[in-house]
Amino acid sequence: MKIVHGRADGAVTEARGATFTGTVWGDPVLPTTDGTTINSVTFTPGARTFWHHHEGGQILVVTAGTGWVCTHGETPQPLTVGDVVWVPPGEQHWHGAGPDSIMTHLATSLGTTTWLDEVSADEYGQAR
């Protein structure tokens, strides 16, 4: 057993940019262990991930604000505090804040993450 008080060893809040649209901040919760990565991620209004998928799936737990999650080819679904999302392995999706709210979620990613294209303004605009 390992207990981490506060933040992951040597963790720093970092701006995320290469695979996100808008301003996004990430805080590692634990160092990546056995292919599992856990981050607390805060999206400013309108910020979102690019399309992506995870080798072993992803669990999202919304801890602040409101936002959206969308599986490729489907309609974006609203998210609010307390919502828990299971994204199956290989499912292409994006997630982020609503246009008028921040959103923070705890993201547990299983295995490798594969990043794809940016979510277009039209795709994001369907989340209304």
Side-chain angles (χ1 to χ4, degrees):
M1 174 186 302
K2 179 177 182 175
I3 298 174
V4 177
H5 297 283
R7 298 161 50 118
D9 300 336
V12 295
T13 299
E14 56 185 30
R16 305 289 173 98
T19 54
F20 296 84
T21 299
T23 302
V24 178
W25 293 92
D27 286 290
V29 174
L30 292 171
T32 298
T33 304
D34 297 331
T36 300
T37 303
I38 304 173
N39 289 296
S40 178
V41 183
T42 299
F43 299 82
T44 59
R48 56 200 177 269
T49 67
F50 280 27
W51 288 103
H52 63 285
H53 59 86
H54 305 274
E55 175 183 26
Q58 186 178 49
I59 301 162
L60 305 173
V61 180
V62 180
T63 59
T66 60
W68 299 95
V69 63
C70 184
T71 297
H72 195 267
E74 296 183 11
T75 302
Q77 300 298 307
L79 295 173
T80 192
V81 174
D83 287 350
V84 177
V85 178
W86 164 243
V87 181
E91 184 173 283
Q92 291 184 26
H93 68 286
W94 64 264
H95 36 98
D100 301 316
S101 175
I102 60 101
M103 182 187 70
T104 300
H105 64 42
L106 191 64
T108 302
S109 302
L110 309 171
T112 303
T113 300
T114 301
W115 293 100
L116 305 166
D117 298 329
E118 184 173 7
V119 174
S120 71
D122 286 342
E123 289 169 319
Y124 179 77
Q126 293 174 16
R128 305 240 177 214

